[in-house]
Amino acid sequence: ALPISAPDFDMEWNTEMAKEISSKFTNHVLAGHLLLVHAPENYYPPLEGLKRNYNDPDDRVKFRSKQNIDYAFLMHFCKNLSTYYLMIEDDVHCSKSFITAKIGR
């Protein structure tokens, strides 16, 4: 199974993303090969007033802190899905045969 994280707190955006994924990959979703994962907002601790390091602006500290929790939630969700775990961000462009080369090692 391939989990797809939808960590945005904007449920309207998440719903639209789920509809788009379902319409483009219907067979994979129905077969259980694609899983849309979303942690409820109440799973997160308060993200206000966090310690600032390196003079980062507050919005950057909040974003990075939320991102760490997003990653932890996703890893926890995936812990029993497979022997392997590979996280690829949405802005990554992999080389041809990247997955085949990594798995074949």
XYZ file of all heavy atoms in Angstrom:
860
model
N 0.843 -1.192 0.000
C 0.000 0.000 0.000
C 0.879 1.243 0.000
O 1.944 1.257 0.603
C -0.899 0.010 1.214
N 0.402 2.263 -0.659
C 1.101 3.537 -0.736
C 0.291 4.596 -0.009
O -0.745 5.029 -0.501
C 1.306 3.947 -2.198
C 1.968 5.291 -2.437
C 3.414 5.265 -1.976
C 1.896 5.643 -3.902
N 0.727 4.985 1.192
C 0.014 6.030 1.912
C 0.337 7.406 1.337
O 1.484 7.689 0.998
C 0.528 5.929 3.346
C 1.507 4.821 3.353
C 1.774 4.388 1.971
N -0.673 8.224 1.224
C -0.515 9.612 0.770
C -0.965 10.491 1.913
O -2.113 10.418 2.356
C -1.344 9.884 -0.497
C -0.900 8.956 -1.620
C -1.230 11.345 -0.892
C -1.791 8.996 -2.842
N -0.068 11.326 2.402
C -0.368 12.183 3.543
C -1.087 13.441 3.087
O -0.680 14.106 2.138
C 0.933 12.556 4.260
O 0.656 13.392 5.358
N -2.170 13.761 3.801
C -2.913 15.011 3.585
C -2.927 15.746 4.922
O -3.921 15.717 5.646
C -4.322 14.718 3.096
N -1.801 16.383 5.272
C -1.669 16.937 6.615
C -2.263 18.335 6.813
O -2.154 18.893 7.894
C -0.155 16.979 6.815
C 0.374 17.243 5.448
C -0.572 16.497 4.526
N -2.880 18.883 5.798
C -3.415 20.241 5.902
C -4.605 20.272 6.847
O -5.423 19.365 6.865
C -3.825 20.731 4.511
C -3.825 22.237 4.416
O -4.578 22.857 5.192
O -3.079 22.785 3.597
N -4.725 21.334 7.637
C -5.871 21.499 8.527
C -7.104 21.980 7.762
O -8.202 21.966 8.289
C -5.561 22.481 9.646
C -4.574 21.959 10.666
C -3.772 22.831 11.371
C -4.449 20.607 10.939
C -2.877 22.376 12.323
C -3.550 20.132 11.878
C -2.757 21.024 12.583
N -6.925 22.398 6.534
C -8.038 22.873 5.700
C -8.769 21.659 5.124
O -8.350 21.069 4.141
C -7.489 23.764 4.581
C -8.565 24.309 3.661
O -9.732 23.858 3.735
O -8.234 25.195 2.847
N -9.875 21.301 5.760
C -10.591 20.083 5.359
C -11.214 20.213 3.974
O -11.384 19.209 3.275
C -11.653 19.736 6.399
C -11.049 19.262 7.715
S -9.819 17.941 7.525
C -10.814 16.639 6.874
N -11.526 21.412 3.544
C -12.049 21.602 2.183
C -10.981 21.211 1.160
O -11.257 20.518 0.186
C -12.486 23.054 1.977
C -13.155 23.302 0.649
C -13.657 24.736 0.517
O -14.192 25.274 1.499
O -13.492 25.300 -0.589
N -9.754 21.650 1.397
C -8.636 21.290 0.504
C -8.407 19.786 0.528
O -8.219 19.154 -0.514
C -7.364 22.031 0.911
C -6.220 21.772 -0.011
C -5.905 22.456 -1.149
C -5.245 20.722 0.100
N -4.795 21.895 -1.740
C -4.372 20.831 -0.999
C -5.031 19.705 1.022
C -3.300 19.971 -1.191
C -3.965 18.830 0.828
C -3.111 18.981 -0.278
N -8.410 19.179 1.725
C -8.208 17.735 1.846
C -9.285 16.959 1.096
O -8.996 15.957 0.441
C -8.204 17.313 3.317
C -6.917 17.691 4.023
O -5.888 17.895 3.399
N -6.987 17.786 5.324
N -10.523 17.424 1.197
C -11.624 16.756 0.512
C -11.445 16.828 -0.997
O -11.636 15.834 -1.704
C -12.979 17.387 0.927
O -13.129 17.233 2.341
C -14.141 16.723 0.222
N -11.058 17.993 -1.498
C -10.822 18.143 -2.939
C -9.664 17.257 -3.396
O -9.722 16.645 -4.461
C -10.560 19.612 -3.304
C -11.783 20.485 -3.209
C -12.932 19.992 -4.075
O -12.701 19.657 -5.254
O -14.057 19.912 -3.548
N -8.614 17.185 -2.587
C -7.461 16.339 -2.919
C -7.886 14.870 -2.944
O -7.504 14.119 -3.841
C -6.335 16.552 -1.908
C -5.064 15.824 -2.253
S -4.326 16.240 -3.859
C -4.164 17.989 -3.750
N -8.692 14.463 -1.975
C -9.167 13.073 -1.928
C -10.007 12.755 -3.156
O -9.871 11.675 -3.754
C -9.975 12.837 -0.654
N -10.861 13.686 -3.567
C -11.680 13.484 -4.767
C -10.807 13.353 -6.003
O -11.038 12.495 -6.860
C -12.662 14.646 -4.952
C -13.809 14.641 -3.986
C -14.693 15.860 -4.226
C -15.784 15.975 -3.196
N -16.580 17.215 -3.375
N -9.791 14.201 -6.100
C -8.895 14.166 -7.267
C -8.115 12.851 -7.317
O -8.017 12.215 -8.366
C -7.931 15.350 -7.221
C -7.072 15.467 -8.448
C -6.201 16.719 -8.456
O -6.546 17.699 -7.780
O -5.168 16.683 -9.143
N -7.584 12.437 -6.180
C -6.836 11.177 -6.129
C -7.763 10.010 -6.468
O -7.409 9.122 -7.248
C -6.191 10.988 -4.740
C -5.053 11.995 -4.563
C -5.680 9.558 -4.559
C -4.535 12.092 -3.145
N -8.959 10.020 -5.905
C -9.927 8.936 -6.163
C -10.336 8.865 -7.619
O -10.497 7.770 -8.168
C -11.170 9.132 -5.294
O -10.851 8.957 -3.942
N -10.499 10.023 -8.255
C -10.917 10.007 -9.661
C -9.784 9.602 -10.594
O -10.009 8.915 -11.588
C -11.496 11.362 -10.070
O -10.498 12.353 -10.121
N -8.551 9.980 -10.262
C -7.413 9.642 -11.119
C -6.919 8.209 -10.916
O -6.364 7.615 -11.828
C -6.252 10.616 -10.873
C -6.489 11.995 -11.424
C -5.276 12.870 -11.218
C -5.499 14.247 -11.838
N -4.332 15.116 -11.631
N -7.095 7.699 -9.720
C -6.533 6.390 -9.376
C -7.584 5.475 -8.757
O -7.300 4.751 -7.792
C -5.344 6.562 -8.423
C -4.277 7.478 -8.939
C -4.167 8.777 -8.471
C -3.385 7.047 -9.912
C -3.185 9.631 -8.952
C -2.400 7.885 -10.394
C -2.303 9.186 -9.916
N -8.782 5.469 -9.303
C -9.908 4.725 -8.737
C -9.573 3.271 -8.455
O -9.823 2.770 -7.357
C -11.130 4.812 -9.680
O -11.422 6.183 -9.916
C -12.330 4.122 -9.084
N -9.021 2.583 -9.428
C -8.719 1.156 -9.265
C -7.733 0.906 -8.130
O -7.876 -0.049 -7.371
C -8.188 0.555 -10.564
C -9.239 0.534 -11.649
O -10.436 0.582 -11.371
N -8.803 0.495 -12.893
N -6.729 1.765 -8.001
C -5.718 1.596 -6.956
C -6.310 1.871 -5.569
O -5.970 1.192 -4.602
C -4.524 2.505 -7.205
C -3.804 2.203 -8.471
N -3.067 1.055 -8.655
C -3.723 2.891 -9.636
C -2.553 1.047 -9.870
N -2.944 2.155 -10.492
N -7.189 2.871 -5.500
C -7.839 3.186 -4.223
C -8.745 2.031 -3.807
O -8.697 1.560 -2.664
C -8.625 4.510 -4.305
C -9.455 4.734 -3.053
C -7.683 5.696 -4.528
N -9.576 1.567 -4.736
C -10.509 0.475 -4.427
C -9.789 -0.817 -4.055
O -10.276 -1.597 -3.233
C -11.453 0.230 -5.606
C -12.447 1.361 -5.888
C -13.246 1.061 -7.151
C -13.364 1.594 -4.704
N -8.616 -1.034 -4.635
C -7.836 -2.238 -4.329
C -7.059 -2.098 -3.016
O -6.424 -3.052 -2.567
C -6.868 -2.533 -5.478
N -7.095 -0.903 -2.419
C -6.374 -0.685 -1.166
C -4.897 -0.406 -1.352
O -4.124 -0.477 -0.404
N -4.503 -0.071 -2.570
C -3.083 0.199 -2.855
C -2.713 1.642 -2.537
O -1.545 1.932 -2.317
C -2.759 -0.104 -4.316
C -2.937 -1.538 -4.661
N -2.021 -2.248 -5.386
C -3.915 -2.428 -4.375
C -2.435 -3.487 -5.532
N -3.590 -3.613 -4.922
N -3.684 2.545 -2.565
C -3.461 3.945 -2.196
C -4.302 4.257 -0.970
O -5.505 4.004 -0.949
C -3.870 4.895 -3.330
C -2.984 4.944 -4.550
C -3.567 5.899 -5.591
C -1.583 5.396 -4.191
N -3.663 4.797 0.039
C -4.344 5.150 1.283
C -4.125 6.630 1.564
O -2.981 7.075 1.643
C -3.782 4.332 2.449
C -3.749 2.821 2.291
C -2.966 2.195 3.431
C -5.168 2.278 2.250
N -5.180 7.377 1.727
C -5.065 8.792 2.075
C -5.076 8.896 3.590
O -5.999 8.421 4.254
C -6.218 9.584 1.472
C -6.093 11.094 1.538
C -4.850 11.558 0.776
C -7.330 11.753 0.959
N -4.021 9.478 4.148
C -3.828 9.533 5.590
C -3.934 10.975 6.059
O -3.295 11.868 5.497
C -2.430 8.979 5.971
C -2.215 9.023 7.455
C -2.247 7.580 5.428
N -4.736 11.184 7.110
C -4.892 12.528 7.674
C -5.001 12.427 9.181
O -5.846 11.698 9.703
C -6.144 13.203 7.107
C -6.465 14.498 7.780
N -5.742 15.643 7.562
C -7.412 14.815 8.682
C -6.242 16.619 8.297
N -7.254 16.139 8.991
N -4.145 13.145 9.890
C -4.216 13.185 11.352
C -5.172 14.307 11.753
O -5.036 15.434 11.266
C -2.840 13.447 11.947
N -6.106 14.018 12.629
C -7.011 15.077 13.097
C -6.229 16.192 13.784
O -5.174 15.949 14.400
C -7.920 14.358 14.094
C -7.789 12.911 13.790
C -6.418 12.720 13.213
N -6.747 17.391 13.687
C -6.057 18.556 14.247
C -5.832 18.400 15.752
O -4.826 18.886 16.283
C -6.856 19.823 13.956
C -6.102 21.095 14.219
C -6.794 22.328 13.690
O -7.759 22.207 12.914
O -6.349 23.431 14.045
N -6.706 17.695 16.447
C -6.540 17.554 17.900
C -5.399 16.605 18.270
O -5.084 16.448 19.446
C -7.848 17.131 18.572
C -8.334 15.762 18.146
O -7.793 15.164 17.219
N -9.363 15.267 18.807
N -4.758 15.957 17.310
C -3.567 15.141 17.566
C -2.328 16.015 17.791
O -1.321 15.535 18.284
C -3.275 14.212 16.387
C -4.047 12.921 16.396
C -5.367 12.861 16.817
C -3.462 11.752 15.962
C -6.072 11.679 16.807
C -4.165 10.558 15.942
C -5.468 10.528 16.372
O -6.154 9.340 16.364
N -2.405 17.268 17.404
C -1.268 18.170 17.449
C -1.252 18.961 18.749
O -2.302 19.401 19.221
C -1.320 19.141 16.270
C -1.136 18.475 14.935
C -2.194 17.799 14.319
C 0.084 18.500 14.282
C -2.024 17.172 13.096
C 0.262 17.882 13.050
C -0.802 17.220 12.474
O -0.626 16.602 11.263
N -0.070 19.161 19.298
C 0.027 20.045 20.466
C -0.126 21.501 19.996
O -0.097 21.768 18.789
C 1.446 19.778 20.983
C 2.209 19.395 19.758
C 1.226 18.640 18.895
N -0.267 22.425 20.919
C -0.321 23.842 20.504
C 0.943 24.209 19.724
O 2.058 23.850 20.119
C -0.393 24.595 21.831
C -0.882 23.595 22.827
C -0.393 22.256 22.353
N 0.759 24.890 18.624
C 1.899 25.272 17.778
C 2.196 26.766 17.878
O 2.867 27.330 17.020
C 1.619 24.875 16.321
C 1.503 23.372 16.075
C 1.017 23.095 14.656
C 2.822 22.667 16.330
N 1.708 27.386 18.926
C 1.958 28.817 19.166
C 2.979 28.962 20.292
O 3.043 28.133 21.203
C 0.657 29.527 19.560
C -0.477 29.368 18.569
C -0.168 29.952 17.189
O 0.613 30.920 17.096
O -0.699 29.424 16.203
N 3.789 29.999 20.211
C 4.749 30.294 21.272
C 5.880 29.294 21.394
O 6.431 29.103 22.476
N 6.236 28.655 20.292
C 7.324 27.676 20.311
C 8.678 28.369 20.394
O 8.837 29.510 19.956
C 7.262 26.803 19.055
C 5.998 25.981 18.886
C 5.929 25.378 17.489
C 5.916 24.897 19.933
N 9.667 27.660 20.928
C 11.022 28.205 21.017
C 11.563 28.484 19.624
O 11.455 27.647 18.724
C 11.922 27.204 21.733
C 13.346 27.693 21.896
C 14.204 26.645 22.581
C 15.635 27.124 22.617
N 16.540 26.090 23.092
N 12.141 29.642 19.450
C 12.718 30.015 18.161
C 14.213 29.749 18.187
O 14.919 30.163 19.088
C 12.458 31.491 17.875
C 10.999 31.786 17.629
C 10.735 33.240 17.439
N 11.491 33.732 16.307
C 11.556 35.009 15.971
N 10.919 35.907 16.667
N 12.259 35.382 14.934
N 14.683 29.052 17.155
C 16.113 28.808 16.986
C 16.574 29.491 15.710
O 15.815 29.617 14.754
C 16.401 27.308 16.881
C 16.113 26.579 18.172
O 16.394 27.090 19.245
N 15.540 25.395 18.069
N 17.790 29.904 15.676
C 18.406 30.467 14.464
C 17.649 31.690 13.950
O 17.670 31.981 12.763
C 18.493 29.404 13.363
C 19.051 28.095 13.842
C 18.246 26.969 13.918
C 20.375 27.995 14.267
C 18.748 25.753 14.386
C 20.886 26.798 14.738
C 20.075 25.682 14.786
O 20.568 24.490 15.256
N 16.956 32.392 14.830
C 16.210 33.604 14.447
C 15.187 33.358 13.342
O 14.882 34.253 12.559
C 17.171 34.731 14.048
C 17.972 35.219 15.227
O 17.455 35.323 16.334
N 19.247 35.501 15.005
N 14.689 32.140 13.250
C 13.629 31.849 12.279
C 12.370 32.619 12.664
O 12.058 32.754 13.851
C 13.296 30.351 12.249
C 14.342 29.524 11.529
O 15.145 30.118 10.777
O 14.342 28.300 11.703
N 11.622 33.088 11.675
C 10.351 33.751 11.982
C 9.356 32.753 12.590
O 9.462 31.538 12.370
C 9.858 34.269 10.637
C 10.724 33.661 9.605
C 11.924 33.069 10.262
N 8.400 33.259 13.346
C 7.435 32.397 14.030
C 6.699 31.462 13.084
O 6.480 30.293 13.409
C 6.408 33.246 14.794
C 6.991 33.871 16.046
O 7.988 33.343 16.573
O 6.440 34.886 16.507
N 6.317 31.955 11.905
C 5.563 31.100 10.980
C 6.416 29.934 10.480
O 5.920 28.831 10.265
C 4.976 31.898 9.820
C 6.023 32.582 8.959
O 7.114 32.905 9.460
O 5.729 32.811 7.767
N 7.709 30.159 10.334
C 8.615 29.079 9.909
C 8.771 28.039 11.019
O 8.784 26.838 10.760
C 9.978 29.677 9.542
C 11.022 28.666 9.169
C 11.067 28.483 7.706
N 12.197 27.622 7.373
C 12.174 26.788 6.374
N 11.127 26.730 5.594
N 13.200 26.025 6.113
N 8.902 28.495 12.264
C 9.015 27.590 13.407
C 7.744 26.756 13.523
O 7.799 25.538 13.719
C 9.276 28.384 14.709
C 9.213 27.473 15.925
C 10.622 29.086 14.638
N 6.595 27.386 13.361
C 5.312 26.679 13.438
C 5.212 25.652 12.309
O 4.831 24.501 12.534
C 4.162 27.679 13.352
C 2.807 27.052 13.477
C 1.709 28.110 13.454
C 0.346 27.475 13.550
N -0.726 28.480 13.588
N 5.570 26.051 11.078
C 5.510 25.150 9.932
C 6.402 23.928 10.143
O 5.981 22.791 9.943
C 5.907 25.884 8.652
C 6.040 24.981 7.463
C 4.926 24.582 6.750
C 7.281 24.506 7.059
C 5.031 23.732 5.659
C 7.407 23.654 5.961
C 6.274 23.272 5.265
N 7.647 24.158 10.550
C 8.595 23.050 10.728
C 8.168 22.139 11.880
O 8.316 20.915 11.809
C 10.016 23.572 10.969
C 10.655 24.134 9.735
C 10.959 23.010 8.776
N 11.504 23.549 7.553
C 11.324 23.026 6.362
N 10.605 21.928 6.229
N 11.836 23.562 5.296
N 7.640 22.708 12.933
C 7.180 21.904 14.070
C 6.002 21.030 13.663
O 5.946 19.840 13.996
C 6.795 22.809 15.235
O 7.928 23.526 15.677
N 5.051 21.610 12.937
C 3.911 20.834 12.454
C 4.386 19.743 11.501
O 3.920 18.608 11.554
C 2.889 21.726 11.762
C 1.674 20.926 11.293
C 0.716 21.776 10.511
C -0.432 20.959 9.960
N -0.062 19.813 9.158
N 5.332 20.078 10.646
C 5.861 19.114 9.687
C 6.497 17.915 10.412
O 6.318 16.767 9.999
C 6.888 19.787 8.793
C 7.374 18.927 7.657
C 8.359 19.665 6.772
O 9.314 20.265 7.258
N 8.124 19.631 5.478
N 7.205 18.155 11.497
C 7.796 17.060 12.274
C 6.716 16.130 12.819
O 6.866 14.902 12.792
C 8.641 17.605 13.427
C 9.958 18.159 12.955
O 10.490 17.747 11.944
N 10.481 19.121 13.686
N 5.625 16.705 13.290
C 4.523 15.893 13.816
C 3.847 15.138 12.669
O 3.489 13.968 12.810
C 3.524 16.764 14.594
C 4.235 17.368 15.799
C 2.310 15.956 15.028
C 3.505 18.512 16.441
N 3.680 15.805 11.525
C 3.120 15.139 10.338
C 3.936 13.908 9.983
O 3.388 12.825 9.726
C 3.115 16.073 9.126
C 2.227 17.287 9.270
O 1.299 17.271 10.104
O 2.461 18.262 8.534
N 5.257 14.051 9.956
C 6.140 12.938 9.607
C 6.032 11.816 10.636
O 5.978 10.637 10.281
C 7.596 13.398 9.517
C 7.924 14.289 8.352
C 9.133 14.958 8.297
C 7.041 14.476 7.294
C 9.462 15.772 7.225
C 7.359 15.299 6.226
C 8.568 15.939 6.194
O 8.892 16.750 5.145
N 6.015 12.176 11.914
C 5.920 11.165 12.968
C 4.602 10.401 12.855
O 4.574 9.171 12.985
C 6.049 11.819 14.342
N 3.509 11.112 12.605
C 2.209 10.457 12.458
C 2.228 9.499 11.271
O 1.763 8.366 11.367
C 1.100 11.494 12.291
C -0.262 10.875 12.122
C -0.995 10.469 13.226
C -0.797 10.682 10.863
C -2.236 9.877 13.076
C -2.036 10.083 10.700
C -2.763 9.680 11.809
N 2.778 9.957 10.150
C 2.825 9.122 8.949
C 3.683 7.871 9.180
O 3.293 6.765 8.809
C 3.353 9.927 7.760
C 3.350 9.218 6.423
C 1.938 8.788 6.022
C 3.944 10.133 5.349
N 4.838 8.039 9.815
C 5.690 6.878 10.097
C 4.986 5.898 11.026
O 5.064 4.681 10.827
C 7.017 7.323 10.699
C 7.975 7.892 9.684
S 9.579 8.180 10.438
C 9.700 9.932 10.218
N 4.302 6.412 12.025
C 3.558 5.544 12.942
C 2.458 4.787 12.194
O 2.272 3.596 12.402
C 2.962 6.366 14.085
C 2.158 5.554 15.042
N 2.726 4.668 15.923
C 0.825 5.478 15.234
C 1.775 4.077 16.621
N 0.610 4.548 16.229
N 1.755 5.492 11.315
C 0.699 4.857 10.533
C 1.264 3.721 9.676
O 0.640 2.679 9.511
C 0.018 5.899 9.635
C -1.059 5.324 8.767
C -2.360 5.206 9.235
C -0.781 4.886 7.478
C -3.355 4.667 8.448
C -1.768 4.343 6.679
C -3.062 4.224 7.168
N 2.454 3.925 9.138
C 3.053 2.976 8.194
C 3.813 1.832 8.854
O 4.238 0.906 8.156
C 4.019 3.719 7.273
S 3.221 4.910 6.197
N 3.977 1.859 10.158
C 4.899 0.924 10.812
C 4.638 -0.551 10.512
O 5.570 -1.330 10.465
C 4.928 1.163 12.317
C 3.692 0.747 13.043
C 3.811 1.018 14.526
C 2.517 0.574 15.207
N 2.573 0.808 16.617
N 3.411 -0.951 10.273
C 3.127 -2.361 9.996
C 2.684 -2.623 8.561
O 2.189 -3.705 8.256
C 2.057 -2.878 10.965
C 2.555 -2.910 12.386
O 3.693 -3.294 12.648
N 1.733 -2.454 13.312
N 2.862 -1.643 7.691
C 2.441 -1.818 6.297
C 3.478 -2.533 5.446
O 3.145 -3.183 4.470
C 2.134 -0.465 5.648
C 0.890 0.259 6.127
C 0.751 1.595 5.391
C -0.356 -0.584 5.934
N 4.751 -2.384 5.800
C 5.802 -2.902 4.936
C 7.105 -3.043 5.711
O 7.267 -2.477 6.783
C 6.005 -1.931 3.765
O 7.085 -2.324 2.964
N 8.025 -3.760 5.119
C 9.368 -3.865 5.676
C 10.150 -2.581 5.426
O 11.018 -2.208 6.201
C 10.111 -5.048 5.017
O 9.332 -6.220 5.221
C 11.490 -5.231 5.602
N 9.816 -1.897 4.341
C 10.553 -0.702 3.924
C 9.696 0.540 4.087
O 8.472 0.475 4.032
C 10.980 -0.815 2.456
C 11.849 -2.011 2.197
C 11.325 -3.171 1.660
C 13.203 -1.974 2.512
C 12.123 -4.279 1.427
C 14.006 -3.075 2.294
C 13.457 -4.223 1.748
O 14.251 -5.305 1.531
N 10.376 1.663 4.270
C 9.706 2.958 4.371
C 10.504 3.956 3.544
O 11.706 4.113 3.758
C 9.640 3.420 5.834
C 8.966 4.747 6.019
C 7.589 4.829 6.161
C 9.701 5.925 6.051
C 6.951 6.045 6.335
C 9.075 7.143 6.220
C 7.707 7.193 6.366
O 7.084 8.401 6.535
N 9.866 4.572 2.601
C 10.508 5.587 1.765
C 9.568 6.772 1.698
O 8.413 6.640 1.278
C 10.756 5.043 0.348
C 11.288 6.035 -0.687
C 12.696 6.487 -0.312
C 11.280 5.390 -2.066
N 10.043 7.918 2.143
C 9.229 9.130 2.097
C 9.736 10.016 0.966
O 10.926 10.324 0.906
C 9.302 9.893 3.418
C 8.434 11.140 3.416
S 8.544 12.098 4.926
C 7.725 11.031 6.065
N 8.824 10.374 0.086
C 9.168 11.261 -1.024
C 8.234 12.462 -0.958
O 7.017 12.304 -0.930
C 9.020 10.540 -2.382
C 9.932 9.318 -2.427
C 9.329 11.505 -3.525
C 9.794 8.481 -3.677
N 8.809 13.636 -0.920
C 8.019 14.872 -0.871
C 7.350 15.116 -2.223
O 7.752 14.557 -3.246
C 8.938 16.053 -0.537
C 9.550 15.987 0.839
C 8.654 16.576 1.908
O 7.652 17.224 1.575
O 8.977 16.384 3.096
N 6.360 15.980 -2.228
C 5.605 16.243 -3.460
C 6.384 17.057 -4.485
O 5.986 17.146 -5.635
C 4.280 16.937 -3.146
C 4.456 18.280 -2.459
O 5.576 18.593 -2.013
O 3.464 19.018 -2.352
N 7.510 17.625 -4.096
C 8.285 18.434 -5.040
C 9.550 17.724 -5.527
O 10.434 18.332 -6.108
C 8.649 19.782 -4.416
C 9.467 19.643 -3.139
O 9.593 18.519 -2.610
O 9.976 20.670 -2.658
N 9.628 16.420 -5.308
C 10.805 15.642 -5.708
C 10.580 15.046 -7.096
O 9.503 14.560 -7.411
C 11.079 14.504 -4.697
C 12.133 13.553 -5.209
C 11.483 15.082 -3.363
N 11.606 15.089 -7.911
C 11.586 14.454 -9.228
C 12.642 13.359 -9.216
O 13.827 13.646 -9.124
C 11.881 15.480 -10.335
C 10.879 16.572 -10.402
N 9.697 16.459 -11.069
C 10.877 17.807 -9.847
C 9.002 17.561 -10.948
N 9.688 18.399 -10.203
N 12.204 12.123 -9.265
C 13.133 10.987 -9.207
C 13.696 10.674 -10.590
O 13.035 10.875 -11.598
C 12.408 9.755 -8.672
S 11.867 9.943 -6.969
N 14.887 10.166 -10.595
C 15.506 9.716 -11.829
C 14.785 8.481 -12.345
O 14.170 7.740 -11.582
C 16.970 9.355 -11.584
O 17.678 10.467 -11.116
N 14.905 8.225 -13.636
C 14.315 7.038 -14.240
C 14.838 5.798 -13.520
O 16.022 5.696 -13.228
C 14.675 7.004 -15.726
C 14.038 5.872 -16.480
C 14.396 5.924 -17.953
C 13.771 4.737 -18.663
N 14.105 4.722 -20.076
N 13.947 4.885 -13.226
C 14.268 3.614 -12.555
C 14.765 3.791 -11.120
O 15.395 2.890 -10.574
C 15.287 2.812 -13.366
O 14.774 2.544 -14.650
N 14.471 4.924 -10.500
C 14.926 5.183 -9.130
C 14.450 4.097 -8.169
O 15.233 3.519 -7.428
C 14.434 6.552 -8.662
C 14.655 6.817 -7.204
C 15.926 7.163 -6.745
C 13.625 6.715 -6.283
C 16.146 7.407 -5.396
C 13.836 6.955 -4.932
C 15.100 7.306 -4.490
N 13.160 3.796 -8.177
C 12.615 2.810 -7.258
C 13.195 1.425 -7.545
O 13.606 0.711 -6.639
C 11.077 2.780 -7.320
C 10.490 4.133 -6.916
C 10.500 1.675 -6.456
C 10.769 4.557 -5.494
N 13.245 1.044 -8.809
C 13.790 -0.257 -9.184
C 15.228 -0.384 -8.702
O 15.638 -1.428 -8.176
C 13.729 -0.432 -10.711
O 12.386 -0.214 -11.129
C 14.182 -1.810 -11.123
N 16.013 0.673 -8.875
C 17.418 0.642 -8.467
C 17.545 0.537 -6.949
O 18.392 -0.191 -6.431
C 18.144 1.888 -8.970
N 16.687 1.230 -6.193
C 16.762 1.200 -4.731
C 16.328 -0.157 -4.176
O 16.924 -0.684 -3.276
C 15.905 2.308 -4.106
C 16.458 3.684 -4.312
C 17.782 3.805 -3.594
C 18.439 5.128 -3.884
N 19.834 5.158 -3.496
N 15.272 -0.723 -4.720
C 14.756 -1.994 -4.229
C 15.669 -3.143 -4.630
O 15.846 -4.104 -3.889
C 13.310 -2.220 -4.740
C 12.396 -1.205 -4.078
C 12.850 -3.641 -4.462
C 10.984 -1.209 -4.593
N 16.312 -3.023 -5.781
C 17.175 -4.086 -6.274
C 18.479 -4.243 -5.531
O 19.215 -5.192 -5.735
N 18.794 -3.318 -4.641
C 20.076 -3.384 -3.919
C 20.071 -4.377 -2.815
O 19.247 -4.708 -2.128
C 20.441 -2.020 -3.362
C 20.850 -1.093 -4.469
C 21.344 0.186 -3.910
N 21.760 0.986 -5.057
C 22.346 2.122 -4.953
N 22.585 2.639 -3.782
N 22.707 2.804 -6.006
